Amino acid sequence: MALRDRRYLLTPWPWRSVLFLATTAVIAAPLASGLWLGLLPLLVAANDVGHGRGPDGAVVFLALAGTALLVVAAPLVALPVAALDRRRLRLVDPRPLHGGPGGDLIARLRDEGTWRAVLYTLLLGLLAPPIFFGAFLALMAEVLMLLSPFSIGTWNFGTYEVHGGLRSAPLCLAGIVLAPVLLYLAGVLAAGHAMLARRLLGAGDPLRDQLGEVHQSRARLADAFDAERRRIERDLHDGAQHRLTSLTLHLGMARLDLPAGSPAAEPLGLAHTQAKELMVVLRDLVHGIRPQVLTDLGLPAALRELAAGSPVPVTVETEIAARPPEGIETTAYFVAAEALTNIAKHARATEARVRVTGDGTRVDLEIEDNGRGGADPAGGSGLTGLADRVAAAGGRLLLASPAGGPTLLRVELPCPR
C-alpha cells in the first residue's frame, strides 16, 4: 500500500482498496451467514444456561450438529478461500504470496498452513459483518451528505435539518471534505486486511522455512552420497573385483605350468599370494560400502552378520513390522557398524546388545555394552559423524555413557510414507 505517498489520492490505490474491500464483502457474506448459522444453536444454549434454564434437547442436538459441521467443513471451505485471497491480495499488495499446502487431503490436514487458513476464514466470517456494517453506514452517510442539495422535502441528518438547495451546501461541503478521509480509511482497512492475510496465508516464519530448506538440501546431499557410494560399489564389484579374480586365476595357472626349481617360480608365487590377499581386501572394501545381505535380506539379517564378525559377543534382537526404506536401512546399519567397532576398540566390554524395532513409521536402534563408559563425541570416536548422518535422515541420536558404564546409544529414524 502507498498510504504514505502524499499523492495517494491521485493514484489508483484508493480505488484498488475500495475494489478489494468490495470483493471481500462478497466473499465474507456467505461465510458469515454459514458461520453464524452454525453458531446460533450454541448461542441459544449458552443463553439458556446463563439464565439458569436447561437447554432444550433440540437446541442441544442442533448445537452438536452445527459444531460437527463446522469442524468438518472448515478446512474444505478455508483452502479455496485462502487460494482465492492469495490471488486477490494483488489488488493492494503486488508482492506474490505463496504458502498453500500441497499433497493429498491427509497431507493438507497435517499441514500447519491449512489451519492458519481455517483461522483466517473464521476471522473473516466473524469480523467482516460488524466492520462492513459500519463501512456501509459511513458510505450511506457520505452519499446523503453529497446529495443533500438535491433532496426534496425536509429530513433530519442527525441533529441537522436538511431542506435541500443552497441551505444544504454546508452539509455537502462537509461531505466533500470527508470523502478523502473515507478513501484513506478504506486504504487503512485494506492494508490491515492485507497484513492479516499475509501473516496467516503466507508460508510461515521465514527462518523456519530456511531451516526446512537446509534440512531438505542436507537430505538430498545424503541421498546423492548414497547413490554415489552404490555406484562405486557396483563398479568395484563388477569391474575391479572381476578382473582381479581373473588375474589371480591366470597367475595360479601359470604357477602350475612352471617347472620345479624355475627362477620365476618364487616371484610368481609371491605375486599369486599378493593377488589373493588383495582379493580379500577388495571384498571387505566392497562389503563395507554396502553389504549384499543388507540389500537382499534386509536390516535384521545384516545386523546378525555384523554381530557374527564382532570380536565382542553381541546379542541381536529385531522386531520390525515392515521393511524400512533403503536409506533408513543403510543409516541404521552403519550406525550399528560404527558403534560395534567403537565397542571393540575402546569400551573394554565383554558383551553387547543390539536391538532394533520398527512399526512402519519409524525405526528405533539401540546399541548397549557393559564396558567402561565415558564415550565422548568430541573424542574422535566418530559419534559426531554418526549424529550428522542420522540428522540428515531426519532422525536423532541419543547417547548415555556415564563413567564406569554401561553405554547406551539410541537412534530414532522416521520412515517417510
Side-chain angles (χ1 to χ4, degrees), residues 7-165:
R7 299 177 300 170
Y8 170 72
L9 294 175
L10 302 177
T11 66
W13 289 111
W15 309 108
R16 292 170 71 110
S17 300
V18 171
L19 179 60
F20 178 75
L21 294 176
T23 55
T24 300
V26 173
I27 295 173
L31 293 178
S33 300
L35 179 60
W36 287 105
L37 186 62
L39 292 177
L40 184 60
L42 290 175
L43 297 176
V44 173
N47 181 69
D48 290 343
V49 173
H51 287 81
R53 300 190 304 268
D56 185 77
V59 173
V60 173
F61 173 77
L62 291 175
L64 295 176
T67 302
L69 183 61
L70 287 176
V71 171
V72 173
L76 302 178
V77 174
L79 290 176
V81 169
L84 176 60
D85 274 21
R86 288 189 186 96
R87 294 177 176 271
R88 200 169 55 86
L89 193 62
R90 296 174 186 175
L91 285 171
V92 292
D93 192 343
R95 295 174 297 170
L97 181 62
H98 305 290
D104 56 16
L105 181 59
I106 301 299
R108 292 187 178 191
L109 291 177
R110 292 177 177 175
D111 195 288
E112 177 191 349
T114 298
W115 300 105
R116 286 192 276 114
V118 169
L119 177 59
Y120 172 81
T121 305
L122 290 177
L123 291 176
L124 197 61
L126 289 173
L127 300 180
I131 292 176
F132 280 102
F133 180 72
F136 175 77
L137 292 181
L139 179 61
M140 292 302 298
E142 175 68 16
V143 171
L144 291 175
M145 292 171 70
L146 293 176
L147 297 180
S148 59
F150 307 98
S151 63
I152 300 174
T154 302
W155 52 279
N156 291 328
F157 185 83
T159 58
Y160 186 84
E161 191 174 77
V162 180
H163 299 279

Side-chain angles (χ1 to χ4, degrees), residues 162-183:
V162 180
H163 299 279
L166 293 178
R167 288 183 294 179
S168 299
L171 188 61
C172 182
L173 291 175
I176 294 174
V177 172
L178 288 177
V181 177
L182 292 180
L183 290 177

